[in-house]
Amino acid sequence: MADKFNNKYRIPSARLQSWDYGNSGLYFITICTKNREHYFGDIRNGKMNLSEIGDIVKSEWIKTFDMRPDMNLEMDEYVVMPNHFHAIIGIGENRYNITGTDAMHRRDAMHCVSTNTGTNQFGPQSKNLASVIRGFKIGVTTNARKINPDFAWQSRFHDHIIRNDRALKNIQRYIINNPLQWKTGEFHD
């Protein structure tokens, strides 16, 4: 039976419960539009042609890194697709995820070691992956609704912790080739 919160059924989190998403590491994220509506443009000859809203997605993603210098974010490959967005984002060591003697014991996801000995706890979601994605989605939504008041994202996003260089290279290749694979991809409708 599903859990309830405020007398409503709650969908369990897809996040890895033993991982602190404020930890330094590389994350592969996918964010879809509501009902997979094609707001961001179209694919022609294997190339993504951004719409006005697609341009907003691109510019808000780039702004994300300038707006959060305190988190030591790193931009890697990303692609805006007709109805979704893929990106690799790095969270570097920063004052929110490393302190004092704890610094000696922390290692990142690329070393396949969790730096958290406990489990995620519900509480303020700031200075972590979820807060970065939330800010990005809000920025896109605010500006996109000036063009199309019906614009909306799906309520959640997908993430994958990138644990080694081989996985990183495979995901980078997947992102780069995503427009070429559009007709056969899982997000094509």
Side-chain angles (χ1 to χ4, degrees):
M1 180 145 227
D3 292 337
K4 283 188 174 184
F5 176 73
N6 286 341
N7 211 26
K8 293 181 181 178
Y9 285 102
R10 199 174 62 114
I11 299 169
S13 173
R15 307 276 102 60
L16 180 62
Q17 294 302 301
S18 63
W19 184 257
D20 179 346
Y21 282 84
N23 283 345
S24 62
L26 291 173
Y27 303 91
F28 172 45
I29 56 135
T30 301
I31 312 170
C32 298
T33 60
K34 187 173 183 182
N35 299 321
R36 295 197 178 158
E37 292 287 330
H38 292 212
Y39 289 110
F40 303 148
D42 59 10
I43 307 264
R44 284 184 245 138
N45 300 319
K47 185 176 183 313
M48 181 63 191
N49 298 286
L50 297 177
S51 66
E52 195 173 357
I53 295 176
D55 283 330
I56 290 169
V57 172
K58 181 178 177 179
S59 97
E60 287 295 324
W61 185 246
I62 292 167
K63 254 198 269 186
T64 294
F65 299 84
D66 294 332
M67 292 172 60
R68 295 170 180 82
D70 57 338
M71 288 184 67
N72 195 20
L73 298 179
E74 176 186 333
M75 183 185 335
D76 202 292
E77 295 294 339
Y78 70 92
V79 65
V80 181
M81 296 294 288
N83 61 2
H84 66 283
F85 174 76
H86 290 302
I88 297 171
I89 181 172
I91 298 177
E93 287 185 2
N94 61 64
R95 65 186 174 131
Y96 306 106
N97 65 17
I98 192 163
T99 58
T101 57
D102 192 35
M104 296 187 266
H105 303 291
R106 288 186 169 267
R107 292 180 66 197
D108 61 30
M110 290 291 282
H111 294 99
C112 300
V113 177
S114 173
T115 60
N116 185 355
T117 56
T119 60
N120 274 343
Q121 300 294 318
F122 287 105
Q125 293 291 305
S126 64
K127 306 302 180 188
N128 63 15
L129 183 63
S131 69
V132 172
I133 301 307
R134 183 174 54 250
F136 166 69
K137 288 171 74 172
I138 289 168
V140 171
T141 301
T142 299
N143 291 298
R145 286 188 177 163
K146 294 174 186 172
I147 297 163
N148 183 337
D150 295 328
F151 175 80
W153 293 103
Q154 279 185 352
S155 60
R156 295 178 169 219
F157 67 95
H158 304 280
D159 74 82
H160 174 80
I161 302 164
I162 301 173
R163 297 181 186 265
N164 57 50
D165 287 327
R166 182 173 169 218
L168 174 61
K169 296 296 179 208
N170 287 339
I171 293 167
Q172 287 170 327
R173 194 170 27 258
Y174 173 80
I175 290 172
I176 291 166
N177 292 324
N178 209 238
L180 294 169
Q181 304 298 321
W182 175 244
K183 293 290 184 195
T184 60
E186 68 179 290
F187 296 102
H188 181 267
D189 289 344

